[in-house]
Amino acid sequence: MSQVSVSGLTRRFDGNPPTTAVADLDLEVADGEFLVLLGPSGCGKTTTLRCLAGLESPSAGTIRLGDTVVWDESRRINLPPNKRFIGMVFQSYALWPHMTVRKNIAYPLKARKMKAALADGAVEKTAALVDCQNLLDRYPAQLSGGQQQRVALARGLVAEPDLVLFDEPLSNLDARLRDQVRGELHELHQRKPFTAVFVTHDQSEALALGTRMAIMREGHIEQLGSPRDVFLDPATEYVAAFIGMSNRIEAHYEDGSWKVTRTALAGAMLRPTGASPDLVVRVRPDDARLVPEGETLGPGEAGLPAVVADIEFGGKHLDVMLDAGTERRLHVQVQLRRSGPFVQTLGRGDRVTFAFDTDAARYFSTEPGSRRPSGPVPVEVSA
C-alpha cells in the first residue's frame, strides 16, 4: 500500500467562460487511510479523483503514489491509468456483461499478468472477503444491484493495489441496500486496511466510512479532519450547513439583547466565538425542540417564537417546519417516543417556540468565507 501525495493540483477547463474545477489543491493520504471527499455537485471532488486515476490530465501540480511520481506538469510526467497501480469502483458498477463474476474479478490480475496470484486463488479469496463467493459462475445480469457492487468492489481489491478509488459507489443502491453495503465496506476496511479515496455527496457515508473527511468547495478543501472533529467543530458556515446544521438564524446584538429581525431571543445566553454584533447561528434539527407558546425554556436554551408551517411523519419522528421571521424556514426533528401530548396534537398554524441548546449551536461571522475562531465569548441575551 502506498501513501498518496498531491501538491498544487489544478484542473482548468476551457470554455466561455473558462472554469477551474480544482484550484491549487494539496493533499496527503497515509497508508491504510480511508479518505472521503465530500461536497455538492461541481465542488471538484470527482475531478480530483479522476486526476488521481489518470482519467483526467491536470493543468498544474504533482501527484505521487508512494515513491512514484505519476503526474508532474513541470517535468511532463504523465503515467497512463494502466501504469498506475490503482483499483477503481464506479457508481455504475462497470462490469463486463459477457464475463462471469469470476472473470470480472480476475480481469485486473490478467491485465497485470499476475499469474501467481491467479494460481494462488486470489479471485476466490477476494470474493469471500465481500461475500460473493457463491456468485462466481453467474453473469452480471443475473445479480442484484447490491451483488453487482460487491463484485465491483472485489475487482477493485483483488490485485491489492496501492490505492483504491471509489466514485460514489453506493448512490445507485436503494436506501436499505446502501446502508448494508456501506456497513460491509466499513467492516472490510477494518479487517484488511487498504488506502482509499472515496467520493460522495452523502454526509452519512462520509461520517461512517472516513478515517478523515475533506469538505470541498469550488475546487478547494474547506476543512480536513476526522469525521468526529468536522461534525462537532465545523470551521465555516458552509461546512456546518453541509454536515447537517440546516437551521440558519441571523442575529444582531443591540441594546443588551440578541435580536432576529426585530424579535429578541428569549432564554439563555448565546455563545458566539467572537465579539461582532452580527452573527449567524447554525443549529441541527435534532438539537432543537418545540416548546408550547408561553412556557418556560430549559436551562441553556434560547428561543424564538414561530408558527408551524408543515408537519411530515417520519416513522419514529416528526419533521416540523416553522415560520419564524427568518430568511428560511426552521426545522425541528421531534422524536415521538420522547414527546408529550403537546406534540401529538400539533397542527399547522399553531404558535410555538423554536428552542435550541446554545452549547450545541455553532456561531459564525456574517462575512462570506470567514472561519470560526476557537473559544466562545459568552454574551447574555434578554430573558
Side-chain angles (χ1 to χ4, degrees):
M1 294 185 291
S2 176
Q3 186 185 44
V4 180
S5 179
V6 176
S7 178
L9 183 68
T10 299
R11 180 63 171 107
R12 302 183 191 91
F13 292 96
D14 295 331
N16 189 18
T19 59
T20 300
V22 181
D24 198 24
L25 186 143
D26 295 329
L27 187 63
E28 298 284 335
V29 186
D31 287 349
E33 183 176 19
F34 201 112
L35 177 74
V36 179
L37 301 181
L38 175 67
S41 298
C43 71
K45 58 187 187 298
T46 297
T47 301
T48 300
L49 192 84
R50 289 175 61 83
C51 288
L52 291 174
L55 302 175
E56 200 83 57
S57 294
S59 307
T62 304
I63 301 173
R64 183 188 298 272
L65 302 183
D67 296 327
T68 304
V69 176
V70 298
W71 170 268
D72 189 328
E73 193 273 338
S74 63
R75 294 159 58 189
R76 299 188 181 280
I77 297 174
N78 183 13
L79 264 63
N82 62 313
K83 295 294 180 66
R84 306 184 188 194
F85 196 32
I86 59 174
M88 283 206 69
V89 182
F90 297 95
Q91 177 180 343
S92 59
Y93 317 138
L95 301 177
W96 298 103
H98 63 288
M99 293 183 180
T100 62
V101 168
R102 186 187 306 276
K103 290 182 178 179
N104 265 284
I105 297 175
Y107 184 81
L109 300 177
K110 292 182 177 179
R112 294 186 172 107
K113 299 180 180 180
M114 299 173 67
K115 296 180 181 179
L118 278 168
D120 196 35
V123 171
E124 290 76 14
K125 292 175 184 176
T126 309
L129 270 179
V130 298
D131 195 27
C132 62
Q133 66 271 30
N134 59 334
L135 308 175
L136 289 172
D137 296 319
R138 297 188 192 180
Y139 288 87
Q142 299 172 308
L143 307 179
S144 69
Q147 290 171 329
Q148 290 187 62
Q149 195 56 282
R150 290 191 190 92
V151 174
L153 178 58
R155 185 182 58 186
L157 295 173
V158 68
E160 298 187 357
D162 292 335
L163 175 66
V164 184
L165 302 176
F166 295 88
D167 185 13
E168 303 205 41
L170 309 182
S171 60
N172 279 350
L173 303 178
D174 62 53
R176 183 186 62 82
L177 260 180
R178 187 162 57 244
D179 290 345
Q180 179 183 338
V181 176
R182 183 186 70 195
E184 291 168 351
L185 179 56
H186 181 267
E187 185 178 347
L188 174 62
H189 188 261
Q190 296 298 305
R191 291 202 317 265
K192 188 177 181 180
F194 51 88
T195 309
V197 176
F198 185 104
V199 161
T200 183
H201 61 270
D202 186 327
Q203 62 146 322
S204 61
E205 289 179 11
L207 293 170
L209 292 171
T211 309
R212 287 188 303 159
M213 55 193 286
I215 312 294
M216 293 194 67
R217 179 184 190 183
E218 297 178 353
H220 300 274
I221 292 178
E222 188 89 349
Q223 185 173 358
L224 175 63
S226 71
R228 182 181 296 273
D229 288 344
V230 174
F231 185 82
L232 295 178
D233 193 24
T236 66
E237 190 192 350
Y238 172 86
V239 175
F242 206 82
I243 56 140
M245 290 186 161
S246 57
N247 290 310
R248 185 181 194 272
I249 302 169
E250 289 192 11
H252 175 73
Y253 191 72
E254 180 183 350
D255 298 331
S257 67
W258 286 101
K259 295 180 179 178
V260 178
T261 58
R262 297 180 180 179
T263 303
L265 281 170
M269 65 174 70
L270 296 186
R271 296 178 60 80
T273 52
S276 170
D278 296 292
L279 59 82
V280 172
V281 185
R282 282 284 183 175
V283 183
R284 290 189 177 88
D286 55 355
D287 283 331
R289 72 185 186 101
L290 297 177
V291 177
E293 185 181 35
E295 286 197 8
T296 304
L297 300 176
E301 285 185 330
L304 187 65
V307 177
V308 175
D310 194 20
I311 302 173
E312 295 179 5
F313 178 68
K316 293 185 177 182
H317 68 270
L318 295 178
D319 288 300
V320 183
M321 309 306 295
L322 305 171
D323 283 327
T326 54
E327 65 173 13
R328 64 189 74 178
R329 284 181 172 173
L330 300 179
H331 173 200
V332 180
Q333 189 172 93
V334 182
Q335 298 300 319
L336 289 174
R337 287 184 60 186
R338 301 174 187 172
S339 62
F342 158 67
V343 171
Q344 306 297 334
T345 59
L346 199 65
R348 293 181 61 187
D350 288 353
R351 294 187 175 277
V352 296
T353 298
F354 173 84
F356 61 93
D357 184 335
T358 54
D359 283 332
R362 293 295 179 265
Y363 307 94
F364 302 91
S365 167
T366 55
E367 294 294 323
S370 61
R371 304 186 76 81
R372 191 165 73 89
S374 60
V377 180
V379 180
E380 194 165 338
V381 302
S382 64

